[in-house]
Amino acid sequence: MDALVLNDVRKSYGNREAVHGISLTVREGEIFGLIGHNGAGKTTTLRMISTLLRITSGSISVYGHDVTTEPDEVRKIISYLPEDAGAYKDLTGRAYLEFMASFFASGDEKRAMVQKGIDIADLGDRIDSKVDTYSKGMMRRLLIARAIMPSPKLAIMDEVTSGLDVINAYEIRDVIRSIARSGVTVVMSSHNMFEVDMLCDRVGMIDQGNLILLGTPSDLKREYGVDTLEEVFVKAVKG
């Protein structure tokens, strides 16, 4: 089964159309990258997939469930991590995971879910420190753990390494690879073309609300006769 199918998806704000008829399919088990400059329509698209924004027209299905007519079923099998996500800073990392797990489970199931989150976060003894003492990289690990511990079938991540230093970004990419290997389909946006090239099985490029390219990083680089995904994007956008 395809994990995600977008068919002629459009989103308008009044008279302005922000997303212009995007159609694409994400295969089960893929890491799929959605890239484009600021204002291109990436985050709007991710929010429609996540049921946070209503589609103006077209359709989106997640593992066969329509986001418009079956939003509750979609929410049961996805997680969404926005770029500006935060955690309760007065809680410890463990207490935060316990609090979030309580929305999904109780008893032994909740304890197993929290332990899974602790394993994903991999913060060692710092899991029992208050969140307001965490570095940005530690916070991002905790938030990824929160998103993945309920075992979603589709994880949606918006600019997950934004603002991180080289080492933290490298470690977060390793976490994402591990998540995908465990069977979770990942859809992510990023401005970092190197990151997308390293991580993603396939890539969709959005410019001014239009899907302008779709393919594997290696195929797109070969098609444009360049060495980097960044060069592909510049050529595709500027001609």
Side-chain angles (χ1 to χ4, degrees):
M1 180 182 292
D2 292 323
L4 175 66
V5 179
L6 281 70
N7 183 28
D8 195 24
V9 174
R10 298 174 184 270
K11 178 62 182 176
S12 297
Y13 298 97
N15 294 324
R16 183 179 71 86
E17 191 171 69
V19 173
H20 313 302
I22 289 180
S23 297
L24 60 85
T25 298
V26 176
R27 300 161 189 154
E28 188 171 24
E30 272 193 314
I31 302 178
F32 185 91
L34 202 58
I35 59 178
H37 54 75
N38 288 334
K42 303 187 307 299
T43 297
T44 296
T45 301
L46 295 184
R47 287 177 177 168
M48 287 190 287
I49 296 167
S50 305
T51 76
L52 297 177
L53 281 179
R54 274 191 163 277
I55 303 167
T56 301
S57 65
S59 66
I60 299 175
S61 66
V62 180
Y63 283 93
H65 297 290
D66 189 281
V67 301
T68 300
T69 60
E70 304 174 90
D72 291 340
E73 293 303 313
V74 172
R75 291 173 193 136
K76 290 176 184 177
I77 58 174
I78 68 169
S79 66
Y80 175 52
L81 183 59
E83 180 181 4
D84 57 357
Y88 297 105
K89 295 187 176 182
D90 288 336
L91 296 178
T92 65
R94 184 189 301 272
Y96 172 70
L97 294 178
E98 288 173 343
F99 174 70
M100 297 306 295
S102 67
F103 290 96
F104 301 95
S106 59
D108 290 343
E109 186 180 355
K110 175 184 171 182
R111 282 187 285 275
M113 187 180 294
V114 171
Q115 186 57 54
K116 180 179 178 179
I118 290 170
D119 292 344
I120 293 169
D122 195 23
L123 294 171
D125 293 342
R126 294 300 304 278
I127 194 68
D128 291 310
S129 298
K130 282 194 173 183
V131 172
D132 66 1
T133 69
Y134 284 5
S135 67
K136 192 167 185 178
M138 293 169 68
M139 173 72 84
R140 203 61 58 85
R141 281 178 171 274
L142 182 70
L143 291 171
I144 291 174
R146 183 267 295 166
I148 300 303
M149 68 181 184
S151 299
K153 296 178 75 172
L154 173 67
I156 303 158
M157 302 182 182
D158 195 1
E159 299 290 348
V160 70
T161 63
S162 175
L164 298 184
D165 61 31
V166 172
I167 292 175
N168 276 306
Y170 178 88
E171 291 175 347
I172 292 298
R173 287 195 291 272
D174 252 2
V175 173
I176 293 171
R177 289 189 189 97
S178 176
I179 290 167
R181 284 195 297 269
S182 74
V184 179
T185 303
V186 177
V187 174
M188 57 175 283
S189 74
S190 179
H191 284 101
N192 186 331
M193 300 294 173
F194 169 78
E195 175 174 276
V196 172
D197 202 346
M198 291 283 290
L199 269 179
C200 295
D201 300 300
R202 288 190 304 134
V203 176
M205 292 189 178
I206 296 181
D207 181 47
Q208 298 181 15
N210 296 294
L211 184 69
I212 60 172
L213 288 176
L214 183 66
T216 68
S218 58
D219 284 348
L220 292 175
K221 287 184 288 185
R222 186 163 50 249
E223 179 183 343
Y224 278 80
V226 295
D227 296 323
T228 69
L229 209 52
E230 184 176 62
E231 292 172 290
V232 171
F233 183 72
V234 171
K235 282 194 169 188
V237 170
K238 294 196 171 182

